[in-house]
Amino acid sequence: MRKLVILAALAASLSVAACNTVEGAGKDVSSAGRAVTDTAKDVKNN
């Protein structure tokens, strides 16, 4: 029973870490998209 609790806690902590990693990657991609959009607007206006 103790091993099951330890494994469940480990799985939960890995899930939380994975969510944070995916969230960070999403923010990075979003930021890159905004940079491309801003550059395209600058080129269009010049």
Side-chain angles (χ1 to χ4, degrees):
M1 183 68 175
R2 187 174 186 182
K3 288 183 181 181
L4 181 62
V5 171
I6 292 172
L7 287 174
L10 181 61
S13 65
L14 289 175
S15 295
V16 170
C19 286
N20 287 335
T21 302
V22 171
E23 181 183 4
K27 287 179 182 178
D28 290 343
V29 170
S30 180
S31 177
R34 277 194 296 273
V36 170
T37 300
D38 291 345
T39 302
K41 286 180 182 178
D42 288 344
V43 169
K44 184 178 178 181
N45 291 333
N46 288 331

